[in-house]
Amino acid sequence: MPRLRGRFGREYTYVERCSSTQRLLQPDAPEGSVAVTDEQTEGRGRLGRRWEAPAGTSLLCSVQLRPPASAARFPELTIVGAEACAGAIVAVTGLTPALKEPNDVLVSGRKVAGVLGEANEGRVVLGIGVNVNVPPAELPANVRVPATSLLVETGAPVDRVELLVELLAQLERLYDIWSAA
């Protein structure tokens, strides 16, 4: 909490293990509420694909948004989330990620993160998964886009809390710009 720089993350839920962080955010939770876990048992990506990550190695979170826009614009928030994720990776690691629309973040052509936006009743919950300290041997194999982690790309462990704080700051900034458009 003392490291936060904005309004996102002030309402914060952490559990060691859950099925999905998206299910931890109640419909009436305020905008900017965040749910974080060390392990998801039913994490998923776009088109129902599974998102797997060994316990304690990744940044797995969901952020609740209450967009002041028409529901037709809600899908744009997945891209906003991916841009925020890429910006956080740049700020924390110095790496240069690329976006593979609509929801993947790549480093060196390999997937390091994914964002899944789910809209319901005037709210959007962005589920974000980043492979942070996943060793090479534990990265998923037999996937459509080869996977990587920040550990693999930088050669050193990355502070997951620092990455979360930066992600929330980047997301809040980009969301405010999007909301004003």
Side-chain angles (χ1 to χ4, degrees):
M1 185 78 85
R3 295 167 77 176
L4 293 176
R5 301 191 302 264
R7 65 187 188 280
F8 283 15
R10 299 292 167 184
E11 293 284 331
Y12 179 86
T13 300
Y14 167 80
V15 296
E16 191 173 305
R17 186 175 197 251
C18 69
S19 59
S20 170
T21 56
Q22 291 197 340
R23 294 183 190 147
L24 295 176
L25 291 172
Q26 298 301 313
D28 62 343
E31 181 166 83
S33 295
V34 177
V36 179
T37 190
D38 277 333
E39 182 181 15
Q40 286 187 133
T41 58
E42 297 174 22
R44 57 191 164 77
R46 197 167 154 264
L47 305 175
R49 295 184 180 109
R50 288 188 47 79
W51 180 275
E52 298 178 13
T57 63
S58 298
L59 173 55
L60 305 168
C61 67
S62 289
V63 181
Q64 178 133 297
L65 304 175
R66 298 192 176 283
S70 72
R73 289 191 61 212
F74 288 4
E76 298 169 12
L77 288 170
T78 296
I79 296 168
V80 170
E83 289 172 347
C85 189
I89 290 169
V90 170
V92 172
T93 69
L95 294 170
T96 308
L99 299 184
K100 181 178 171 286
E101 290 190 12
N103 69 325
D104 291 344
V105 181
L106 309 178
V107 173
S108 303
R110 295 185 298 271
K111 185 172 179 174
V112 72
V115 178
L116 178 64
E118 292 192 336
N120 190 356
E121 300 175 13
R123 71 182 182 130
V124 174
V125 177
L126 289 182
I128 302 170
V130 184
N131 294 331
V132 181
N133 295 317
V134 183
E138 294 187 38
L139 287 166
N142 303 320
V143 289
R144 190 174 46 84
V145 178
T148 192
S149 71
L150 299 179
L151 170 68
V152 169
E153 298 299 325
T154 64
V158 173
D159 183 335
R160 293 184 301 150
V161 173
E162 181 183 358
L163 185 63
L164 174 61
V165 167
E166 187 62 38
L167 172 64
L168 293 174
Q170 294 271 344
L171 179 59
E172 183 176 326
R173 182 181 64 79
L174 292 174
Y175 175 71
D176 287 347
I177 291 168
W178 177 89
S179 295

